[in-house]
Amino acid sequence: MPNTKHAISFFENVNRNFDRAAQFTSYPQGLLEQIKGCNSVYSFQFPVRTSKGLQVLRGWRVEHSYHKLPVKGGIRYSAMVDEDEVKALAALMTYKCAVVDVPFGGAKGAIKFNPKEYTETDVEVITRRYTTELIRKNYIGPGVDVPAPDYGSGSREMAWIADTYSTFYPGKIDALACVTGKPVAEGGVRGRTEATGRGIFYGLQEACDNAEDMKKLGLTRGLSGKRVVVQGLGNVGYHAAKFCQEGGAVIVAFAEYEGAIYDPKGLDVDAVVKHRKETGSILRFPGAKDLGHSLEALELDCDILIPAALEEQITEENSPRVKAKIIGEGANGPTTVGAEEILLKKNVMVVPDMFLNAGGVTVSYFEWLKNLSHVRFGRMDKRFEHSAFDKILHAVEQTTGKSFTETERTAITKGADEIDLVNSGLEETMTGAYNQIREILKSDTRIPDLRTAAFLNAINKIATAYMELGIFP
Ligand code: GLU
């Protein structure tokens, strides 16, 4: 996805949004500065022997805020990454965790390389080497700093990180909690892979459920029937599109590196993925129109636009042409500050990243809890629930004289599995967090938008945590 560089850096963008919200508080300047800045920035280089020969790679781990420990955030594998980007993403993690009440500070890591240009063994060696650098400086550990997947990395890399860490700390009982997003067979939790996309769906569903807000945008209540454009068909974009489609939305366009496809009648998400796998491109999908330039998709006529690729995609340049009524930020930082001002004037509702894509870290929190408790969710209560529901059914049958069919009985008496509990916790978190932000927005007419309300909510929570620590009066 073309990522145009702008006059204001990504971290500066985040800080301008922070400042806009901080105006509505009366915290001392020192406290606000403490919240805003990065507490610790570790930048390093390391040599690795790859199939391309001996190489020296650059890595970072930025720990943004120690108001709560451990700090938490993904590791980005990208040839485009720089220190400013990692700082911005680490800061967003702090605010994100606060918004969804996940008790972590924020962090982010990166390795500057394109994993697609390396063999699997190379990626493994690089990942393990990067992990040892984190261990060396105490930038990883269950109570210190817990990485996760991000752009360019996934569960496979997290398994290597967990294994490397465990090798350095044999017998450490909570070692698996040093990283989240692991495969289920290696200490992961069910539902983590699709969590960010599912969270986006829950968040948008809740936003669209408010008839009053929808009326202001000229839309009807409910996600069902809304026309959605998705930028990015990676883990986040794919799952967001899939769950929105299942929830009744119509996916009218997809944008990727190679271009975009558009069909106002709706695209079947899995069929598009299959087509891309077979042909190497989303273009020439049967029945859809090809758009030559990928970024054109952002300007299509639709109700909801979900940028789920990289930062700084909706800019001052293209935002005047954006026709969506709602922007659902799946990626981190896809809308620049300048663009947001333009969108606000056009009465566009921006559902901000730090809330909308927080499903990933929320389920990471559940995984971390699972690792620390050493027990699968549902193991203690599933059968107990099943037999309790069964007894209720028997009692109903006896009083009514009617009996349930076997299919009905199975559906009603099922106890909750791990995946049911994870999804339920995620839905509760996303709907609760949305309503907190919306209430803040409604409480003061001077607060311009949901992003400012989300920042304000985060600042209040982090400031309270600092005050509880006794660091600030
Ligand atoms: N990289 C993801 C994010 O940006 C997930 C972070 C995590 O699970 O710690 O939110």
Side-chain angles (χ1 to χ4, degrees):
M1 210 63 54
N3 176 27
T4 33
K5 288 282 170 198
H6 296 277
I8 309 169
S9 80
F10 185 12
F11 191 34
E12 182 59 29
N13 248 293
V14 173
N15 287 336
R16 287 207 188 176
N17 284 324
F18 179 100
D19 293 340
R20 234 164 32 142
Q23 287 170 35
F24 300 101
T25 72
S26 50
Y27 297 117
Q29 197 52 33
L31 175 53
L32 292 171
E33 288 305 317
Q34 173 61 21
I35 297 174
K36 213 163 102 173
C38 292
N39 287 178
S40 178
V41 180
Y42 179 28
S43 163
F44 50 97
Q45 62 176 39
F46 55 96
V48 267
R49 199 168 294 283
T50 69
S51 56
K52 296 176 193 289
L54 184 72
Q55 298 208 322
V56 178
L57 296 182
R58 165 95 9 219
W60 290 270
R61 186 72 185 168
V62 173
E63 297 183 336
H64 175 261
S65 179
Y66 296 142
H67 73 287
K68 290 227 155 111
L69 285 173
V71 290
K72 187 90 190 75
I75 304 173
R76 182 164 285 204
Y77 289 13
S78 160
M80 310 283 286
V81 76
D82 60 26
E83 190 166 304
D84 179 86
E85 184 176 329
V86 192
K87 283 166 135 178
L89 292 165
L92 280 173
M93 284 309 303
T94 296
Y95 308 130
K96 193 183 296 192
C97 289
V99 161
V100 288
D101 290 312
V102 163
F104 299 139
K108 204 80 167 196
I111 311 176
K112 195 175 176 70
F113 83 118
N114 179 359
K116 291 202 184 94
E117 289 171 3
Y118 289 80
T119 66
E120 184 175 1
T121 311
D122 289 343
V123 179
E124 175 170 357
V125 172
I126 292 166
T127 302
R128 288 185 183 276
R129 189 67 179 78
Y130 174 87
T131 309
T132 59
E133 290 298 326
L134 299 188
I135 293 170
R136 202 212 279 267
K137 290 281 203 295
N138 202 27
Y139 272 73
I140 183 170
V144 180
D145 186 338
V146 182
D150 197 78
Y151 183 84
S153 64
S155 59
R156 182 187 66 168
E157 286 73 15
M158 303 307 117
W160 291 328
I161 294 174
D163 183 59
T164 309
Y165 184 84
S166 310
T167 311
F168 275 81
Y169 296 100
K172 189 165 176 155
I173 192 161
D174 291 329
L176 271 182
C178 75
V179 66
T180 61
K182 301 179 291 291
V184 174
E186 276 143 287
V189 74
R190 284 164 188 81
R192 174 62 186 85
T193 307
E194 61 271 34
T196 310
R198 189 183 274 280
I200 292 171
F201 161 66
Y202 287 141
L204 288 174
Q205 192 180 44
E206 192 62 11
C208 292
D209 197 43
N210 192 291
E212 186 193 327
D213 294 353
M214 288 304 108
K215 202 168 162 214
K216 278 191 201 140
L217 301 172
L219 296 172
T220 53
R221 182 180 168 195
L223 186 61
S224 188
K226 295 265 181 306
R227 297 163 306 146
V228 180
V229 171
V230 181
Q231 183 199 34
L233 201 44
N235 178 38
V236 177
Y238 164 69
H239 285 110
K242 186 151 172 64
F243 291 122
C244 285
Q245 179 173 280
E246 280 173 15
V250 185
I251 312 300
V252 294
F254 271 116
E256 255 298 340
Y257 296 93
E258 62 268 21
I261 49 169
Y262 175 61
D263 184 352
K265 295 190 299 303
L267 298 158
D268 180 67
V269 179
D270 282 325
V272 172
V273 171
K274 189 165 168 266
H275 170 80
R276 191 173 191 227
K277 241 187 211 136
E278 282 166 7
T279 68
S281 166
I282 53 170
L283 297 172
R284 290 173 293 281
F285 181 71
K289 184 176 172 237
D290 286 349
L291 304 180
H293 200 298
S294 174
L295 286 176
E296 276 177 54
L298 304 181
E299 301 166 20
L300 285 169
D301 186 24
C302 66
D303 301 315
I304 306 177
L305 168 63
I306 305 180
L310 284 171
E311 57 272 8
E312 297 178 336
Q313 298 296 307
I314 303 171
T315 62
E316 273 172 77
E317 194 278 314
N318 63 8
S319 54
R321 299 187 300 277
V322 166
K323 295 181 196 68
K325 312 271 182 358
I326 301 173
I327 311 261
E329 294 188 331
N332 289 309
T335 314
T336 66
V337 174
E340 183 139 20
E341 276 167 25
I342 296 168
L343 294 171
L344 198 60
K345 284 197 194 111
K346 287 173 50 166
N347 191 31
V348 176
M349 177 191 211
V350 180
V351 187
D353 49 4
M354 51 194 279
F355 155 68
L356 197 63
N357 71 28
V361 75
T362 301
V363 176
S364 275
Y365 169 45
F366 301 156
E367 180 176 335
W368 182 76
L369 291 174
K370 177 187 183 183
N371 295 151
L372 294 181
S373 67
H374 301 264
V375 62
R376 168 175 53 82
F377 293 112
R379 179 168 171 183
M380 306 297 282
D381 30 16
K382 185 181 166 177
R383 282 192 184 248
F384 180 81
E385 280 177 3
H386 170 73
S387 70
F389 295 147
D390 208 44
K391 281 182 198 136
I392 297 170
L393 272 201
H394 274 299
V396 172
E397 281 176 335
Q398 265 169 6
T399 35
T400 60
K402 262 185 68 182
S403 15
F404 291 93
T405 65
E406 218 29 64
T407 326
E408 286 168 336
R409 177 173 297 280
T410 316
I412 299 170
T413 62
K414 183 183 171 296
D417 278 321
E418 181 168 85
I419 186 71
D420 303 318
L421 294 166
V422 163
N423 290 342
S424 150
L426 177 58
E427 184 169 8
E428 172 69 11
T429 304
M430 295 304 293
T431 51
Y434 183 75
N435 288 305
Q436 278 183 18
I437 300 168
R438 189 179 175 275
E439 261 162 46
I440 293 175
L441 179 66
K442 299 283 151 194
S443 70
D444 186 339
T445 50
R446 292 171 309 153
I447 300 171
D449 49 30
L450 281 170
R451 191 188 315 278
T452 310
F455 262 98
L456 197 51
N457 198 15
I459 294 171
N460 282 331
K461 289 179 188 176
I462 301 162
T464 309
Y466 270 120
M467 289 187 285
E468 276 165 5
L469 288 173
I471 299 172
F472 287 88

